[in-house]
Amino acid sequence: MSRFFTTGSDSESESSLSGEELVTKPVGGNYGKQPLLLSEDEEDTKRVVRSAKDKRFEELTNLIRTIRNAMKIRDVTKCLEEFELLGKAYGKAKSIVDKEGVPRFYIRILADLEDYLNELWEDKEGKKKMNKNNAKALSTLRQKIRKYNRDFESHITNYKQNPEQSADEDAEKNEEDSEGSSDEDEDDDGVSAAAFLKKKSEAPSGESRKFLKKMEDEDEDSEDSEDDEEWDTGSSSSSEDSEEEEGKQTVLASKFLKKAPTSEEDKKAAEKKREDKAKKKHDRKSKRLDEEEEDNEGGEWERVRGGVPLVKEKPKMFAKGTEITHAVVIKKLNEILQARGKKGTDRASQIELLQLLVQIAAENNLGEGVIVKIKFNIIASLYDYNPNLATYMKPEMWQKCLDCINELMDILFANPNIFVGENILEESENLQNFDQPLRVRGCILTLVERMDEEFTKIMQNTDPHSQEYVEHLKDEAQVCAIIERVQRYLEEKGTTEEICRIYLRRILHTYYKFDYKAHQRQLTPPEGSSKSEQDQAENEGEDSAVLMERLCKYIYAKDRTDRIRTCAILCHIYHHALHSRWYQARDLMLMSHLQDNIQHADPPVQILYNRTMVQLGICAFRQGLTKDAHNALLDIQSSGRAKELLGQGLLLRSLQERNQEQEKVERRRQVPFHLHINLELLECVYLVSAMLLEIPYMAAHESDARRRMISKQFHHQLRVGERQPLLGPPESMREHVVAASKAMKMGDWKTCHSFIINEKMNGKVWDLFPEADKVRTMLVRKIQEESLRTYLFTYSSVYDSISMETLSDMFELDLPTVHSIISKMIINEELMASLDQPTQTVVMHRTEPTAQQNLALQLAEKLGSLVENNERVFDHKQGSYGGYFRDQKDGYRKNEGYMRRGGYRQQQSQAAY
């Protein structure tokens, strides 16, 4: 088929047809004005008459085509939008569907779309990579399509049983996908190329038919060559297919049809032209292949991921025959590094180029100095792979980073003549003179600190309740091993400041870990163990306490920055408190005076201080020092923001004013989950400590109107418990403590004990302590002692005397303990009584006022304050602040009248003598 008829525009044929129709139209009316108002396209669309069925079905097919395109690019959001439009379009075509039946292509798209969504839903990895909008649209569309397909269940079943009936539809779909909008243009024009060719081919004679056949053969070859020419836009033959020649194709076709060329000269010219085109095509192909071989050097086509910025030009490593020297490699290294940070640079390919450069340097034996310099830049490029500070490294990049640092440390340990440091200038580097020590610019300590920060970011951004968090946490052993290796290296070659920094990193990975081996060795008596077990214990390495002591003391002595020393002190105190060394931790905290100026420190150090104070309070509680525990936990728990102060989460934005940037900064300060302190345990320890202090104090000052509160939070929990209209058995930890407090008020220590120590509280709180049985024993003892004190305060006015044996049996305490508690109460003047040693009884003095007397005293105090306020208001109204009444009142208050009477009485007594 000739290209003059297939590829030429149909504008001339349409104009000729419209011209023939215009001649037959009658003259008059608005005919003369119509060409001025309407274009040829508008006239053509008016002349095309389509049925309602065609219009509706065309609308459906257009929507289906859009859905299929969206399915190809996995755009579920677009699928959802178009599916909703498809449902509306089908509703409009309902009357036609009722007559004609449900169209086959509609059933096909419903079945294909449902299968497609099921595949996406089952692809777990693909769902994780979806963005938020696509994932939401997937679940919504899946529900809608399942619900919608119930009405077409029988049709879909028949379609799935006989899919071969839709072969024609497959062909149509492929044509639509390949040809694009050319079919729509032909339909709109109303005249296809085949019909045009049929009309024109009736006119020419036999000779013209031969000529046409020959031209078709020629044009088939020329079309093939043109298809190849289209791929090479820079070739010289592109001018032959210009738009001017395409516009003249129909004119040429008509000339050739009227007069067929029969001369031999024309045939020779056509043959020559065909030979020239074939020769040009062959030359272009050979030239393109040569260029590709030079550029790629045996490379293959690769699939590029969508969304990744394209590399403008991949830099070549070295040309063939280039001598690989130190200067050439360093020059290539600088070329690669110049693209670092620029827009459009593919960071992954940059890392690959640097790794390839390391291999080239190793193959050509350029020395370890060059390899160390390139590896420094590889690690820096790995850190730069994520340009955003908030994002964390991918697992494969993280593993590459660990491996690269280990390789770098291997080289540095194997070659002691290599010196690295950030104070070495690039001009003074020595990479090739092996007679002198090699000097490379770079800081291994900075790389390790950045690695530690990246590990923290990975743990912060991983779901703590998933298996993935556990897998990432296993990498901490590698991180600690790298830090230990760098520590050994810097102890040999590093400065004092660098040693302090790496010691702090080691401390930060040690201070929060409970040393179970050392704890077990303390519990096991050394006499009972064999010599082999003792040797094994010594070979296991030094205890964490000894390690912390050694590292921290070095920092205390050598560090010149306050921040590193402050962090070391806090970590040391935390480690002491974690292992129940209360007195060492307390003394170190008091001697450091950190509580005086900690408010001037940066937020991460303040978070560490809060964590240390909390651990100190828990340690005091385990030792039975409830007052110290309460004082240590008071600041954190009274604020109501323990979660935020400990860096374990953020409060709701509605409770605190902060913008998104501040929230991002605060999220980066959060402590990883494996460092968290159990907040429920913390609150329980605080409330139990407050109960053991507050309940005896409330019983002792029950009638005192001016008594102070030791713990506001504890009183708040008591008020909440009293407001409840229906009191059932306690469920939460707070309800258990409130119920125990009410029992302690009555002196019922057994009920209090059952509320504090039970299976539910053991599971939530007490079993989390390292020595849980020891803590429970201490708690029982404390509850018995404080219940005894509360009982004596509450019921002392009832008894004249009470036997200590009775108290001992009642509270299941031994006599010396009861004697000691009562003696302390009498010495501190908390209990007005005396001990009768022969009879072992407590004799009450009954000096405490009764309830009626307490009320009278309170009334007298209130009346006195009322009278004083009344006088002050009266004086203010009279304006007599500097006058007679003021002096008279002041004189009365100074007891001048009493002094005069007293002096008079003294004179009388002296005269009597």
Side-chain angles (χ1 to χ4, degrees), residues 513-689:
K513 297 174 183 174
F514 188 81
D515 195 348
Y516 286 96
K517 292 180 181 178
H519 180 65
Q520 196 65 31
R521 286 196 289 270
Q522 286 179 358
L523 295 178
T524 306
E527 294 84 7
S529 60
S530 63
K531 187 176 180 182
S532 61
E533 291 178 355
Q534 292 178 1
D535 295 339
Q536 182 182 358
E538 292 175 0
N539 294 331
E540 284 179 354
E542 59 183 344
D543 291 346
S544 60
V546 179
L547 175 66
M548 290 288 293
E549 188 82 14
R550 178 170 62 85
L551 299 178
C552 291
K553 282 187 175 179
Y554 183 89
I555 292 177
Y556 299 157
K558 304 288 186 180
D559 180 58
R560 295 182 223 171
T561 62
D562 290 337
R563 190 182 187 280
I564 294 179
R565 185 169 60 252
T566 301
C567 291
I569 291 172
L570 291 173
C571 292
H572 203 182
I573 295 169
Y574 190 103
H575 194 264
H576 279 317
L578 187 64
H579 293 82
S580 300
R581 296 188 286 269
W582 156 252
Y583 291 103
Q584 292 95 314
R586 183 200 63 182
D587 295 343
L588 190 55
M589 175 62 78
L590 293 176
M591 286 189 297
S592 64
H593 297 284
L594 288 176
Q595 60 271 21
D596 298 334
N597 53 8
I598 193 64
Q599 66 271 13
H600 302 300
D602 53 341
V605 178
Q606 291 184 11
I607 290 173
L608 181 59
Y609 174 80
N610 294 336
R611 286 167 51 80
T612 304
M613 289 302 298
V614 163
Q615 198 61 246
L616 203 59
I618 295 174
C619 174
F621 180 80
R622 288 199 303 268
Q623 301 298 316
L625 306 170
T626 53
K627 190 170 184 181
D628 293 322
H630 180 269
N631 291 336
L633 300 176
L634 180 62
D635 291 337
I636 301 294
Q637 287 298 123
S638 61
S639 65
R641 299 186 300 133
K643 187 177 182 181
E644 187 177 12
L645 292 175
L646 295 176
Q648 297 180 189
L650 299 178
L651 293 177
L652 296 175
R653 192 179 292 182
S654 57
L655 301 178
Q656 189 176 7
E657 294 181 0
R658 61 172 179 265
N659 53 29
Q660 290 184 351
E661 291 300 324
Q662 291 174 341
E663 188 171 347
K664 287 180 183 177
V665 172
E666 289 181 11
R667 286 192 184 281
R668 287 200 292 270
R669 293 177 186 148
Q670 298 304 300
V671 177
F673 183 75
H674 62 281
L675 275 71
H676 281 197
I677 297 171
N678 193 317
L679 294 176
E680 190 172 17
L681 179 143
L682 176 62
E683 187 178 8
C684 181
V685 166
Y686 175 75
L687 290 177
V688 171
S689 301

Side-chain angles (χ1 to χ4, degrees), residues 823-834:
S823 300
K824 287 180 182 177
M825 294 174 67
I826 293 173
I827 291 169
N828 295 331
E829 297 183 355
E830 295 174 341
L831 182 66
M832 297 302 169
S834 57

Side-chain angles (χ1 to χ4, degrees), residues 871 874-875 880-897 900:
E871 287 180 356
F874 181 74
D875 291 345
S880 56
Y881 278 115
Y884 169 73
F885 295 104
R886 171 73 179 270
D887 295 336
Q888 186 181 15
K889 183 178 178 183
D890 289 343
Y892 182 77
R893 284 185 174 178
K894 289 175 183 176
N895 298 327
E896 293 174 358
R900 285 195 294 270

